[in-house]
Each structure stands twice: as structure tokens, then as C-alpha cells.
């Protein structure tokens, strides 16, 4: 495992230069460019399009800023070099454009700016909202407006591209490319001859949001930085049929020859899961068929794509995967790069040649992801902790792109339940909260007229998981506590009130929810996926989630909102507490039942009972004891353990935290390099779900004990739970700098060093005794 992460550092070390920037000048309020399309394109069918414009420059400019967007997506090139990808996903009311400085790629004389634009239409990812195929580029000033999209641009459809639907994916589908029909040559280079290309057609004027009464794309500047683009080699061949690959391949560029009239198969192992644009360069092989398959893991033969087993194993396994399919045209230096990134640990390359041999010149990936920089540090000689942190961080990275995602392979949707935990991972591990702010904005944009949010957004369909709207209020409270920015959160309180108003319509006279509409998903455990209601239409878990939301809302309203809402939400919370205690508490079991039938019990409801303050003192300890020892309770999945473990810590059991990590040890023993979606690791659909990455929070919040104690992290509470650890230290990012804590036991005495950033105070708690903390260094010997 240590070698694996050393390898990760190596492959992530070479960065592609991408000119896309955030924080650069916003485009003029009035755009003078057009949305353009290729002539004859109906805009709603699957298509891959190329756009080009040549310009002459007297000298290399010091700056040349443009603003660019497309529907569905684009890749922008200057003189053959990729400089920007986008647009960052949003919706038609907030259609993102990227700001790019082209100057580093321009030169005196002839220059070519080119864009690859594609629309996957009915094959597009579920997260992709669309009007129709289109492309727009606007210069930042009159000088740069020479590049404005209009009829001086040329455009053409590549008829060699078609979709490969494959089996169910909410994410992007595969591609089918016939090189015999595809556009030949490097169409992004100045030397390319485009004399036969027609001029483009105008679709609509470019319009910034708020500047027109009717608008197809309401353009707004993207708040996100360019995604990482990192050259990444595959590591080794795991299986080969009818082909002899050079020893160096695929870790190094080494040609592989497939003889004529041969059916050859290679299974290649990245050795860890990744998201990457895959590039295959090949020569010859007229009319040969090529298949590229991508898999997180292989399946046990005969299991119908259900049982995965150890992810390191290849023998006795079968390859079930999404694919790209190519047909060779026989020429030299053919090249294919996926339009969208692919998620894989394993790549299966199949080649069926006809009368000519085919040479695989090269095969590699370009890793992509949100450019998070990991600034949290944990110093310990406990290698298990560091492995878990590394795996959790890779999981979080693969689920962070232009939004957070539930999983990179299957769906790529930004679900609130997942995103709340992912945002907390970001707060504890990085100083970059832009993706979290983006998520909060997009969840706010998703609200239905009745006030509730969509469960996931952006999405071209509307799915509502009603309890997720309550977690959205938790997300707002998290951001407010760990990052601050009162104005940003204050502007979201209208949405918080809308959500709570929606739920109030389904509260009975006693405050308990009844028959809440839409999907009442809680967790993939027992009947927590939506069948927990009792005969009266209510359930403890929903009432407890609503209670939590009232508590969070009252807290925010009291300090940055309206006093009347504070009073209202406190009253509702008080009523709900009384009702929950009356309806669900079973004194004989020291537990809360799931519903009024009092026959079913869960870790879920009882965890939230502790977190909402329903119980305290010895009663809380009794509930916590039941959570740990009563195996008849519906058990939390890896996702909901985020709440279970917080509850156990609140009940005073935090020193046992390392004993609660069995699911992660099982993941590692099964060869995963990211955390699986389900607690049944053997059959988990997705191998990469960041809703399970809570150790990347709790090793700092629970073990080191670092937590926010006031909005904006302006006060810090440090209460460690070290268990058997005797020498550990670390630090996390903070809005004012960083917080560091270290603990070392020597000769029966603890030496404790804590450092707080400027303008920050706090409290240190050790065995129930409190010590004040000041900004700067604080030392104790206890």
C-alpha cells in the first residue's frame, strides 16, 4: 500500500499547463459575440463539432483574455495546445463561462484558435442540462474581440463519431469512432487547411445573466478554477491473449504490434482507481476494430456482474464495463482521446485486425479533478491511520470535479446527502471552499416552487429525496460554522425557510411528520431506503432530522437572520422533542423505536436522538451502549456511520473511535484503493463513494479533537480522543491560518502543544477539565 501511494505522488507530479483562470476580469456586460453552430445542425442530436478561426498578430501579446462557453461542452485549443475545458456544469439560468488568457500560446504571425464542442443529446450524463448545441467566445476588450464568435468562424461536424449506449449509466456513455469517416489531420494547428469548411450559423446573441427579458443561456462567470490535468501512465499488464507486449509497456511508451488477422486482448492495471481522459495512439490496421473497456474492478465469473471479490484479483474474473469502440483507417499516427474522462482501475484493450497489422503506438491517461491541495497533516507512526487517510483523500478527489459527485463511474451527480460529508472533508483537509460554495449555490437554485430542494443538482431531471433537503440546512450550518461568511449564508436563509415551510405542511398537530411526499430515503440499510413509516404515516428518523434542522436554523437565524424565525423554530423544536419522546421512547430498552409500532429499532434514529439532545447523562450513555451492542438494531451503512460515530463521541465514547473502523479495514483487505459505496464490500456497486470518507474528518475532529466552537471557526474547541495512541500530532486549515495540536506521553506525563491562528481563541478539554486557549502557541504538561 505504501508503494501505491508513492506511485500516486509520482504520476500526479507532472502538470499540464492550462490557461483557464478564476478571478480574472469578468466579461463585458454587453456581449458582442454570437452563439454559433455548424451549418445544418439541428442542435438536439448527438454530435461532435470542430470550430476554427485564424488571426494574424503583429507581435506576441502580453495578455489576451477571452471568455468562453458551450453547450454541452468544449475543449479549447490555441495553435494545437489545449488551454481550457468546460463549461463548469450549471443550469440555463446560471450558464457558466470560463475566463482564459491565451497570451502564453499566441505568437507573432498566424495563430489558430479552435474548439471541440460536443452534444451527447439523449446519451448525455444525467447531470448535463442543455438548450442545444452551441459555442460562444467573447474577447475581454476591443483588441481581443477579433476572436468573437460570428460568421468569420468556420465549423464542421465530424461524422465519424457516434455514441455507444452500453448498459445503465447516469454518467457519460461510450464513443464509437470510425477513423475512415473522421476528420483527418490536426485540425487545431495553424497549418491545417480549412478552405473547404463552411462558415458557422448564428444561433443567438450572447447575453449575460439579467441583461435580457428572454434568454437561452444566462451567462455567468464560473466561480471555479481550472481542473487538474495530469499525465498518468498505466502501470502493468495483468492478462494478455494473442499478443506479446514489450516489458516496458504500458508504464513506458513502447509500441505493441498486433499481427494481421488476429483477435488480441490485453488487461491493463492502473493499480489504483483514477479519473482520466484516455489517449490511444495507433498506426496501420486498416478496418481493424478496437475496443477500450474501463472497469473499477472485475467480477467473479458466473456471478452476473454482482460479486467482485478482491479488487486485486484478475484470474477467475470477467470484465463487465463501459466501452469505447474504434475502427482504424490504416494510416500512420491515428489518435483517439475520450471526450469525457473515464473512471477505471482496469482497462481492457481488444483489437481485431483484418489483413494489416496494427501498432499500438501509445496508451496513457490524463488525470483530471478539482485542483484541491491537501493541507491537513497527520503525524503518526500508526500506518493504518495514514493508509486510511490516503485512501479517503483519493476517494474525495475522484468525487470532486466541476461539482462534488456521488460516484465518478456510474452517476456523477451531486447529491446533498453525499455532498454534506464531502464538503466537511474539504473544510478539514484543504483551505479551498469554492467547490462547497458552488454546491450550496446549486442546491439553492434547485428548489422547487413548494420550497424543497432537489436531491441532486445540476440534473436535467428532477429527483426529490425529501430528507436530503434537511441535510441541506445542515450544509449551510456547517459552512457557517467552519468557514463563516455571514453574508453568503444570510442570502441562503430564504431557501432554508422555504424548506422548513414545506415540511411544516406535513406536520401533524403534535409536530410529527406524516406521509412526507417524494422519496424518503435515509440510508441503504434495512428499510431505511424509504419504508420505515408506521401505521400513522410517521417515523422517528424523519422527526429527528426535522428537529436537527430546526435547531440549525434557529442557531443561524438568531445571529444573522430574523428574530421571529428564531422564536418560531425554537418553539417547533421544543414541541417536536416532547412528541418524539412520547411516541418513540421505550424505557425498557433505553432506545427510541423507529415508529409507533415499537417493533423496529435502528442505529440511525438513536444516533440522531443523541445528536439532537433528546437524551443526556446516564440515559445518553445507555442509548450509546445499545447502539454499540444491540445487533438487532438496523445497522448504519458506511455512509450513515458519519452520524453514528458523532453520536458515540458525544456520549463520551470517543476514545474507542479506532475500534469503529472495521468497514475500512475490510475495504483495504479487499484490495480497494477508494471507499466502496455499500457496506457489503463484496458486491458494492460503486467502488468510490466519498460519503464514506468521514475518517478524513474524524482523525482531526475526534482523535486530535479539533472542532469549531463558534461561527466562522472564530473559537476553537480541542478535546482529543486518543485511545491507545501515545504520540500523535497534526494540523488542519483554518480561515485565519491553521490549527495544530500534538500529544505525547512520556514517563506518565502528557506533553501537549496547541497552536491557534491569529484573532482566534478557544478551549482545551482534557478529562472533563477545561483550559483556555489563546492565539499562538499553548503548551501543557498534564
Amino acid at each position: 500500500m505504501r508503494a501505491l501511494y508513492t506511485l500516486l505522488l509520482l504520476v500526479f507530479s507532472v502538470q499540464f499547463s492550462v490557461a483557464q483562470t478564476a478571478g480574472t476580469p469578468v466579461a463585458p456586460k454587453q456581449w458582442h459575440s454570437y452563439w454559433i453552430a455548424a451549418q445544418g445542425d439541428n442542435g438536439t442530436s448527438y454530435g461532435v463539432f470542430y470550430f476554427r478561426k485564424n488571426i494574424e498578430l503583429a507581435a506576441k501579446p502580453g495578455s489576451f483574455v477571452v471568455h468562453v462557453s458551450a453547450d454541452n461542452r468544449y475543449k479549447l485549443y490555441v495553435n494545437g495546445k489545449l488551454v481550457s475545458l468546460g463549461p463548469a456544469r450549471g443550469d440555463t439560468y446560471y450558464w457558466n463561462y470560463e475566463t482564459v488568457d491565451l497570451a502564453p500560446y499566441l505568437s507573432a504571425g498566424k495563430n489558430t484558435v479552435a474548439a471541440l464542442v460536443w452534444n451527447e443529446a439523449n446519451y448525455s450524463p444525467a447531470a448535463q442540462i442543455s438548450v442545444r448545441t452551441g459555442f460562444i467566445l467573447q474577447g475581454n476588450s476591443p483588441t481581443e474581440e477579433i476572436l468573437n464568435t460570428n460568421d468569420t468562424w468556420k465549423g464542421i461536424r465530424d461524422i465519424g463519431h457516434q455514441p455507444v449506449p452500453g448498459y445503465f449509466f447516469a454518467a457519460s456513455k461510450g464513443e464509437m469512432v470510425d477513423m475512415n469517416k473522421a476528420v483527418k489531420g490536426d485540425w487545431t494547428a495553424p497549418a491545417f487547411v480549412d478552405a473547404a469548411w463552411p462558415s458557422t450559423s448564428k444561433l443567438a446573441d450572447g447575453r449575460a445573466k439579467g441583461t435580457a427579458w428572454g434568454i437561452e443561456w444566462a451567462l455567468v462567470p464560473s466561480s471555479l478554477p481550472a481542473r487538474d490535468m495530469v499525465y498518468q501512465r498505466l502501470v502493468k499488464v495483468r492478462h494478455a491473449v494473442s499478443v506479446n507486449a514489450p516489458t516496458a509497456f504500458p508504464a513506458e511508451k513502447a509500441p505493441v504490434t498486433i499481427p494481421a488477422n488476429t483477435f488480441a486482448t490485453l488487461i491493463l492495471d492502473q493499480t489504483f482507481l483514477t479519473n482520466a481522459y484516455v489517449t490511444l495512439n495507433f498506426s496501420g490496421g486498416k478496418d481493424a476494430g478496437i475496443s477500450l473497456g474501463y472497469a473499477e474492478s472485475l467480477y467473479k465469473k458466473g456471478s452476473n456482474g454482482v460479486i467482485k471479490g478482491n479488487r486485486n484479483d484478475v484470474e477467475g474474473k470477467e470484465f463487465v464495463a463501459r466501452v469505447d469502440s474504434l475502427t482504424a483507417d490504416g494510416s500512420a499516427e491515428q489518435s483517439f482521446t475520450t471526450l469525457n474522462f473515464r473512471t477505471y482501475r482496469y482497462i481492457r484493450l481488444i483489437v481485431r485486425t483484418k489483413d494489416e497489422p496494427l501498432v499500438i503506438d501509445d496508451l496513457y491517461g490524463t488525470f483530471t479533478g478539482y485542483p484541491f491541495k491537501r493541507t491537513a497533516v497527520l503525524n503518526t507512526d500508526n500506518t493504518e491511520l495514514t493508509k486510511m487517510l490516503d485512501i479517503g483523500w483519493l476517494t474525495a478527489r475522484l468525487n470532486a470535479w466541476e461539482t462534488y459527485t456521488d460516484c465518478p463511474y456510474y452517476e456523477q451527480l451531486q447529491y446533498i446527502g453525499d455532498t454534506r460529508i464531502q464538503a466537511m472533508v474539504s473544510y478539514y483537509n484543504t483551505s479551498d471552499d469554492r467547490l462547497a460554495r458552488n454546491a450550496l449555490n446549486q442546491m439553492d437554485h434547485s428548489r422547487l416552487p413548494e420550497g424543497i430542494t432537489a436531491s441532486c443538482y445540476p440534473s436535467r431531471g428532477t429527483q426529490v429525496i425529501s430528507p436530503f433537503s434537511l441535510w441541506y440546512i445542515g450544509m449551510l450550518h456547517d459552512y457557517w460554522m467552519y468557514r463563516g461568511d455571514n453574508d453568503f449564508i444570510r442570502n441562503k436563509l430564504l431557501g432554508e425557510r422555504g424548506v422548513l415551510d414545506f415540511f411544516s405542511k406535513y406536520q401533524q398537530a403534535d409536530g410529527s411528520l406524516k406521509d412526507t411526499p417524494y422519496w424518503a430515503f435515509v440510508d441503504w440499510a434495512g428499510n431505511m431506503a424509504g419504508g420505515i413509516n408506521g401505521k400513522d404515516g410517521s417515523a422517528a428518523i424523519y422527526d429527528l432530522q426535522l428537529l436537527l434542522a430546526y435547531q440549525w436554523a434557529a442557531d443561524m437565524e438568531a445571529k444573522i437572520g430574523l428574530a421571529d424565525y428564531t422564536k418560531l423554530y425554537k418553539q417547533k423544536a421544543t414541541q417536536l422533542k416532547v412528541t418524539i419522546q412520547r411516541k418513540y421512547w421505550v424505557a425498557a430498552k433505553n432506545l427510541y423505536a423507529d415508529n409507533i409500532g415499537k417493533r423496529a429499532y435502528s442505529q440511525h434514529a438513536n444516533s440522531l436522538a443523541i445528536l439532537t439532545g433528546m437524551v443526556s447523562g446516564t440515559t445518553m450513555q445507555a442509548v450509546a451502549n445499545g447502539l454499540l451492542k444491540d445487533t438487532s438494531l438496523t445497522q448504519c451503512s458506511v455512509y450513515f456511520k458519519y452520524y453514528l460515530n458523532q453520536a458515540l463521541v458525544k456520549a463520551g465514547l470517543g476514545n474507542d473511535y479506532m475500534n469503529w473502523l472495521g468497514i475500512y479495514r475490510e475495504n483495504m483487505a479487499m484490495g480497494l484503493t477508494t471507499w466502496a459505496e455499500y457496506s457489503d464490500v463484496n458486491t458494492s456497486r460503486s467502488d468510490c463513494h466519498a460519503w464514506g470518507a468521514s475518517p478524513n474528518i474524524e482523525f482531526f475532529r475526534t482523535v486530535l479533537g479539533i472542532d469549531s466552537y463558534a461561527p466562522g471557526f472564530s473559537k476553537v474547541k480541542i478535546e482529543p480522543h486518543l485511545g491507545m495512541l501515545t504520540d500523535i500530532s497534526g494540523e488542519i486549515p483554518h480561515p485565519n491560518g491553521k490549527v495544530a495540536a500534538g500529544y505525547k506521553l512520556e514517563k506518565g506525563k502528557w506533553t501537549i502543544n496547541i497552536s491557534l491562528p491569529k484573532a482566534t481563541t478557544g478551549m482545551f478539554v482534557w478529562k472533563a477539565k477545561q483550559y483556555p486557549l489563546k492565539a499562538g502557541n499553548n503548551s501543557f504538561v498534564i
Side-chain angles (χ1 to χ4, degrees):
M1 186 67 73
R2 183 179 298 275
L4 184 154
Y5 293 103
T6 302
L7 177 62
L8 279 175
L9 292 174
L10 289 174
V11 297
F12 284 6
S13 64
V14 182
Q15 297 281 338
F16 279 116
S17 177
V18 178
Q20 181 176 318
T21 58
T24 49
V26 175
K29 189 171 184 180
Q30 291 298 321
W31 287 51
H32 303 128
S33 54
Y34 307 154
W35 283 89
I36 60 173
Q39 289 188 24
D41 173 38
N42 66 16
T44 58
S45 300
Y46 180 97
V48 175
F49 302 87
Y50 305 142
F51 298 95
R52 281 173 50 93
K53 179 165 181 173
N54 298 318
I55 59 172
E56 292 281 343
L57 296 176
K60 180 179 175 65
S63 174
F64 204 96
V65 175
V66 299
H67 312 282
V68 59
S69 190
D71 185 347
N72 298 168
R73 303 192 62 78
Y74 74 84
K75 296 181 182 180
L76 187 70
Y77 300 85
V78 176
N79 296 329
K81 295 181 179 178
L82 179 66
V83 299
S84 179
L85 301 92
R89 282 184 180 144
D91 57 42
T92 57
Y93 298 101
Y94 297 87
W95 196 271
N96 288 307
Y97 64 83
E98 277 73 39
T99 297
V100 189
D101 186 358
L102 307 184
Y105 307 93
L106 296 169
S107 60
K110 182 180 179 181
N111 294 269
T112 298
V113 178
L116 165 60
V117 175
W118 67 97
N119 182 351
E120 294 179 272
N122 54 310
Y123 301 102
S124 64
Q128 183 64 56
I129 295 171
S130 175
V131 177
R132 57 147 295 153
T133 311
F135 175 65
I136 191 167
L137 187 147
Q138 168 71 42
N140 190 61
S141 72
T143 298
E144 290 127 340
E145 285 193 349
I146 190 175
L147 277 178
N148 281 6
T149 44
N150 49 39
D151 60 9
T152 64
W153 280 70
K154 293 186 173 187
I156 192 170
R157 179 178 182 175
D158 191 326
I159 62 172
H161 283 257
Q162 298 295 329
V164 178
Y167 65 103
F168 168 77
F169 281 99
S172 58
K173 309 299 189 291
E175 300 170 47
M176 183 181 297
V177 181
D178 186 342
M179 293 295 179
N180 295 292
K181 300 177 181 179
V183 172
K184 302 292 190 295
D186 185 359
W187 59 273
T188 68
F192 183 84
V193 178
D194 61 10
W197 284 26
S199 60
T200 56
S201 298
K202 176 181 177 179
L203 298 176
D205 293 331
R207 290 285 185 263
K209 182 175 177 62
T211 60
W213 60 267
I215 198 165
E216 292 86 0
W217 299 275
L219 288 161
V220 297
S222 174
S223 62
L224 303 178
R227 268 55 70 198
D228 277 344
M229 295 288 284
V230 184
Y231 179 69
Q232 188 177 67
R233 301 295 310 185
L234 286 137
V235 177
K236 56 187 174 182
V237 175
R238 295 295 302 276
H239 184 72
V241 177
S242 300
V243 60
N244 293 314
T247 304
F249 179 84
E252 299 175 17
K253 182 178 179 180
V256 180
T257 299
I258 314 298
N261 301 308
T262 299
F263 185 86
T265 301
L266 286 167
I267 294 180
L268 310 175
D269 190 354
Q270 184 71 62
T271 71
F272 55 87
L273 200 67
T274 190
N275 295 336
Y277 296 95
V278 174
T279 295
L280 175 67
N281 297 326
F282 54 101
S283 297
K286 175 64 175 173
D287 294 329
I290 305 170
S291 173
L292 285 165
Y294 313 96
E296 292 184 307
S297 55
L298 309 186
Y299 291 87
K300 181 180 178 180
K301 288 181 180 178
S303 71
N304 296 315
V306 174
I307 299 174
K308 294 183 175 180
N310 193 293
R311 304 317 196 259
N312 295 321
D313 294 341
V314 172
E315 297 304 319
K317 296 287 190 73
E318 59 187 359
F319 206 98
V320 181
R322 69 197 309 175
V323 299
D324 293 317
S325 181
L326 314 174
T327 301
D329 67 9
S331 65
E333 298 181 350
Q334 299 167 73
S335 184
F336 166 76
T337 298
T338 56
L339 295 174
N340 302 292
F341 71 77
R342 303 293 186 235
T343 300
Y344 58 89
R345 171 176 171 174
Y346 294 100
I347 289 182
R348 181 188 62 190
L349 174 64
I350 298 176
V351 179
R352 183 192 291 271
T353 56
K354 292 192 174 180
D355 295 334
E356 292 182 7
L358 181 140
V359 178
I360 302 298
D361 297 315
D362 203 5
L363 175 61
Y364 62 89
T366 302
F367 168 82
T368 189
Y370 186 86
F372 276 130
K373 306 302 178 189
R374 188 177 175 188
T375 56
V377 175
L378 190 70
N379 303 305
T380 175
D381 58 5
N382 187 315
T383 58
E384 185 179 66
L385 267 69
T386 57
K387 288 177 183 178
M388 287 182 183
L389 275 178
D390 288 342
I391 292 174
W393 180 243
L394 180 59
T395 309
R397 289 234 53 200
L398 296 187
N399 279 291
W401 188 48
E402 295 169 350
T403 65
Y404 293 106
T405 65
D406 64 323
C407 58
Y409 190 84
Y410 289 96
E411 296 190 30
Q412 298 178 9
L413 287 164
Q414 184 171 243
Y415 281 92
I416 295 174
D418 306 61
T419 302
R420 184 181 183 214
I421 297 170
Q422 291 169 277
M424 285 296 298
V425 171
S426 301
Y427 304 152
Y428 265 93
N429 290 266
T430 84
S431 57
D432 187 342
D433 58 28
R434 287 172 290 183
L435 199 63
R437 291 172 68 95
N438 183 68
L440 290 168
N441 283 331
Q442 291 181 327
M443 298 309 176
D444 193 35
H445 298 165
S446 80
R447 283 184 296 118
L448 279 63
E450 63 233 73
I452 198 170
T453 67
S455 63
C456 55
Y457 203 74
S459 174
R460 67 173 181 270
T462 301
Q463 182 199 74
V464 178
I465 299 175
S466 44
F468 275 20
S469 283
L470 300 175
W471 290 142
Y472 168 66
I473 296 175
M475 282 184 64
L476 291 175
H477 192 267
D478 291 342
Y479 188 91
W480 181 57
M481 288 295 292
Y482 290 92
R483 285 298 179 264
D485 197 342
N486 286 346
D487 290 340
F488 177 73
I489 296 299
R490 186 181 291 112
N491 288 332
K492 299 289 185 290
L493 294 185
L494 181 64
E496 160 248 290
R497 296 163 193 160
V499 169
L500 292 175
D501 180 66
F502 167 85
F503 279 93
S504 73
K505 293 178 172 62
Y506 300 94
Q507 287 184 271
Q508 302 170 78
D510 62 1
S512 181
L513 287 166
K514 179 180 180 180
D515 296 331
T516 306
Y518 303 110
W519 185 13
F521 173 87
V522 176
D523 186 15
W524 292 121
N527 53 4
M528 287 290 164
I532 198 68
N533 280 346
K535 61 184 179 181
D536 69 339
S538 62
I541 191 67
Y542 306 131
D543 288 345
L544 286 160
Q545 268 197 253
L546 181 59
L547 174 57
L548 263 177
Y550 279 137
Q551 292 171 339
W552 289 322
D555 194 18
M556 292 185 288
E557 295 283 2
K559 297 181 176 65
I560 60 173
L562 297 175
D564 286 347
Y565 280 108
T566 305
K567 181 179 178 182
L568 173 65
Y569 296 150
K570 285 184 175 180
Q571 289 173 344
K572 285 180 170 287
T574 298
Q575 179 198 38
L576 202 47
K577 270 192 167 185
V578 172
T579 297
I580 291 168
Q581 190 70 17
R582 173 181 55 81
K583 288 185 68 173
Y584 307 116
W585 177 248
V586 179
K589 294 179 71 72
N590 279 320
L591 291 170
Y592 290 87
D594 284 341
N595 53 49
I596 61 168
K598 297 183 179 178
R599 294 180 179 178
Y601 297 81
S602 66
Q603 288 184 325
H604 305 73
N606 287 282
S607 295
L608 296 196
I610 291 174
L611 293 177
T612 54
M614 288 295 304
V615 289
S616 59
T618 56
T619 304
M620 178 169 63
Q621 293 170 9
V623 172
N625 187 61
L627 285 173
L628 283 172
K629 296 182 179 180
D630 190 341
T631 57
S632 70
L633 273 62
T634 299
Q635 302 292 295
C636 293
S637 79
V638 64
Y639 156 54
F640 218 85
K641 286 182 184 293
Y642 175 73
Y643 300 100
L644 169 64
N645 291 345
Q646 284 184 78
L648 294 172
V649 172
K650 184 175 180 179
L653 301 177
N655 280 318
D656 294 330
Y657 177 74
M658 292 297 294
N659 298 329
W660 307 334
L661 303 178
I663 186 61
Y664 300 103
R665 296 181 178 104
E666 183 180 353
N667 271 254
M668 292 190 295
M670 293 284 278
L672 279 94
T673 61
T674 51
W675 301 131
E677 177 180 9
Y678 301 147
S679 291
D680 184 354
V681 182
N682 194 39
T683 62
S684 180
R685 180 192 67 152
S686 164
D687 275 3
C688 186
H689 250 63
W691 70 3
S694 56
N696 285 68
I697 305 165
E698 303 308 339
F699 286 163
F700 301 102
R701 181 166 65 181
T702 295
V703 178
L704 292 184
I706 305 171
D707 203 1
S708 175
Y709 199 49
F713 228 148
S714 59
K715 293 183 180 179
V716 179
K717 180 181 180 181
I718 299 185
E719 184 174 6
H721 301 88
L722 302 176
M724 301 301 292
L725 298 169
T726 58
D727 188 358
I728 190 169
S729 64
E731 62 185 49
I732 67 164
H734 182 278
N736 295 335
K738 65 181 180 181
V739 178
Y743 312 93
K744 188 170 186 178
L745 179 63
E746 291 181 305
K747 298 180 180 179
K749 292 283 187 178
W750 283 96
T751 299
I752 300 165
N753 292 296
I754 296 169
S755 177
L756 302 188
K758 63 181 180 180
T760 307
T761 59
M763 174 177 65
F764 173 56
V765 181
W766 184 265
K767 296 182 179 178
K769 186 175 180 181
Q770 297 181 3
Y771 303 83
L773 297 173
K774 66 182 188 303
N777 294 324
N778 301 262
S779 296
F780 306 90
V781 177
I782 300 176

